[in-house]
């Protein structure tokens, strides 16, 4: 199967690795230095928990032509980077496209394709449950314990499920199809914003972050506020167990988040302010629509944006 992966960061690199090992004809779209690394060294991944390193050869392109058609296109990017590639995808004649990553505007992106696609396209949204970092030499350190992708369409059943099943048929990669992918992604934004904000406010120093009890308690409050906003708007939060845990056992959740951040591999999980800020902005219309007080959320947003502004001076 002919597959294109746009985005050669941590998640895109691992997805390309899985698809190559699954017997597919995989091409990666990468630019500049990253493209040169892939062409010279291949796709190098250190699998942290599995204690092994793999090297895969992939085709590399630096631009997507209109008539360069693939059976599947996976776009694996940070939320704030999606807008730059949407016009390129709409101009391409490939039919099946999966946008993988944090997403606070699925409906807006779906609408963009309906209004701008050169030909009818099936748009699906997904999230790959793994993490890690990419080192300066191009090697990816992948953090995962098993791996899966949640996938869904805004228009009912995913229209190309058989194509996806065939692409992953010879892999151990799990595909999960939640009932409402938009609700799943919005629910995911809430804890991501809380956790990454704490880390960012401590400059990524997890040793200091784990000692900041006040911030972690505030992070739990932020999560509670975010889920309350979604519930007020009738958006089914997922996973339900986490939502109940925030309400019934906030202290346990706060201790759990601190404990996770003490684990050695957490220093290898990347987080950038550019995506945090975009997720804050994406959630703002929902907060306004719900009309609920969100003091913890607002304070975190103010502090992170203030820190970033000072860093730019």
């Amino acid at each position: 199967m002919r597959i294109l992966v746009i985005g050669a960061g941590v998640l895109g690199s691992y997805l390309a690795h899985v698809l190559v090992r699954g017997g597919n004809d995989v091409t990666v779209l990468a630019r500049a230095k990253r493209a040169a690394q892939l062409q010279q060294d291949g796709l190098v991944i250190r699998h942290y928990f599995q204690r092994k390193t793999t090297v895969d050869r992939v085709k590399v392109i630096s631009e997507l032509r209109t008539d360069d058609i693939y059976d599947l296109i996976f776009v694996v990017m940070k939320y704030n980077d999606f807008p730059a590639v949407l016009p390129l995808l709409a101009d391409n004649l490939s039919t099946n496209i999966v946008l993988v990553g944090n997403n606070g505007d699925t409906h807006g992106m779906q609408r963009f394709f309906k209004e701008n696609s050169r030909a009818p396209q099936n748009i699906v949204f997904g999230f790959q449950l793994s993490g890690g970092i990419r080192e300066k030499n191009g090697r990816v350190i992948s953090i995962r314990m098993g791996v899966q992708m949640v996938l869904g369409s805004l228009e009912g059943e995913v229209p190309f499920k058989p194509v996806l099943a065939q692409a992953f048929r010879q892999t151990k990669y799990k595909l999960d199809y939640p009932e409402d992918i938009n609700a799943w992604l919005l629910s995911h934004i809430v804890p991501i914003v809380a956790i990454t904000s704490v880390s960012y406010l401590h400059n990524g120093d997890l040793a200091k972050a784990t000692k900041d009890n006040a911030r972690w308690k505030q992070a739990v409050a932020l999560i509670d506020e975010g889920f309350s906003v979604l519930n007020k708007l009738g958006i089914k939060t997922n996973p339900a167990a986490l939502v109940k845990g925030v309400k019934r056992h906030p202290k346990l959740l706060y201790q759990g988040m601190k404990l996770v951040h003490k684990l050695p591999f957490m220093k290898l999980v990347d987080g950038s302010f550019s995506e945090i800020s975009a997720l804050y902005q994406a959630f703002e219309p929902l907060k306004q629509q719900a009309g609920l007080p969100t003091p913890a959320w607002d304070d975190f947003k103010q502090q992170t944006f203030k820190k970033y502004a000072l860093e730019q001076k």
Side-chain angles (χ1 to χ4, degrees):
M1 186 170 294
R2 196 162 186 260
I3 301 175
L4 174 66
V5 176
I6 300 179
V10 172
L11 303 184
S13 294
Y14 181 74
L15 179 60
H17 156 76
V18 169
L19 291 166
V20 168
R21 297 295 171 109
N24 298 286
D25 178 6
V26 179
T27 300
V28 175
L29 191 153
R31 302 273 171 81
K33 182 180 178 180
R34 183 57 176 153
Q37 289 171 338
L38 291 172
Q39 289 168 336
Q40 177 177 320
D41 303 322
L43 193 60
V44 184
I45 300 179
R46 175 62 182 172
H47 304 264
Y48 183 82
F49 289 122
Q50 293 71 26
R51 296 182 177 274
K52 67 177 182 179
T53 298
T54 57
V55 181
D56 299 290
R57 289 292 169 181
V58 294
K59 298 176 182 176
V60 182
I61 61 173
S62 57
E63 62 179 343
L64 179 61
R65 299 191 305 271
T66 299
D67 59 350
D68 195 3
I69 301 175
Y70 296 86
D71 298 303
L72 281 170
I73 296 180
F74 290 94
V75 187
V76 191
M77 309 185 82
K78 292 178 179 176
Y79 175 58
N80 51 295
D81 292 330
F82 277 126
V85 303
L86 297 187
L88 302 176
L89 293 165
D91 194 50
N92 183 264
L93 297 177
S94 299
T95 303
N96 303 319
I97 298 172
V98 185
L99 304 180
V100 184
N102 288 309
N103 202 316
D105 188 28
T106 57
H107 288 284
M109 292 183 186
Q110 178 85 57
R111 186 165 54 251
F112 177 89
F113 283 104
K114 285 187 175 297
E115 295 173 354
N116 296 282
S117 291
R118 184 183 291 265
Q121 293 176 310
N122 301 314
I123 306 302
V124 165
F125 299 91
F127 191 91
Q128 182 172 259
L129 300 174
S130 60
I133 61 169
R134 193 178 78 204
E135 299 176 318
K136 291 182 179 180
N137 63 3
R139 185 180 76 158
V140 166
I141 300 180
S142 177
I143 308 295
R144 60 183 179 80
M145 291 178 283
V147 73
Q148 73 178 77
M149 184 185 294
V150 295
L151 293 155
S153 167
L154 301 184
E155 300 178 328
E157 193 78 8
V158 171
F160 50 93
K161 260 188 179 181
V163 179
L164 288 163
Q166 183 178 343
F168 292 97
R169 183 172 57 89
Q170 298 182 48
T171 74
K172 295 181 180 180
Y173 194 99
K174 181 182 177 182
L175 300 179
D176 183 33
Y177 297 92
E179 182 179 340
D180 186 341
I181 189 62
N182 183 58
W184 193 99
L185 289 167
L186 290 176
S187 299
H188 186 74
I189 285 175
V190 175
I192 286 294
V193 163
I195 293 168
T196 53
S197 291
V198 173
S199 177
Y200 177 68
L201 289 172
H202 288 87
N203 300 311
D205 187 333
L206 299 185
K208 288 184 178 180
T210 55
K211 297 176 182 178
D212 193 341
N213 295 334
R215 280 292 184 200
W216 284 114
K217 290 177 182 177
Q218 189 180 16
V220 173
L222 181 154
I223 293 172
D224 185 31
E225 292 170 1
F227 285 152
S228 296
V229 165
L230 296 179
N231 288 329
K232 178 71 178 295
L233 298 177
I235 298 171
K236 188 176 181 180
T237 45
N238 188 322
L242 177 58
V243 180
K244 292 179 181 179
V246 174
K247 292 288 187 185
R248 298 176 183 176
H249 309 288
K251 186 175 181 180
L252 185 62
L253 177 60
Y254 131 72
Q255 292 290 357
M257 289 193 297
K258 283 185 61 178
L259 178 62
V260 168
H261 276 69
K262 290 181 179 179
L263 299 176
F265 69 84
M266 283 301 297
K267 67 179 181 295
L268 301 175
V269 178
D270 188 24
S272 69
F273 178 78
S274 59
E275 186 170 38
I276 299 172
S277 64
L279 294 174
Y280 270 119
Q281 301 290 31
F283 212 81
E284 199 62 31
L286 299 174
K287 286 173 62 261
Q288 294 177 5
Q289 187 179 348
L292 297 175
T294 54
W297 185 288
D298 297 339
D299 183 63
F300 261 116
K301 180 180 178 182
Q302 180 183 12
Q303 293 300 319
T304 54
F305 277 61
K306 180 180 179 181
K307 180 178 186 298
Y308 181 73
L310 290 173
E311 289 172 346
Q312 301 310 300
K313 291 184 178 179

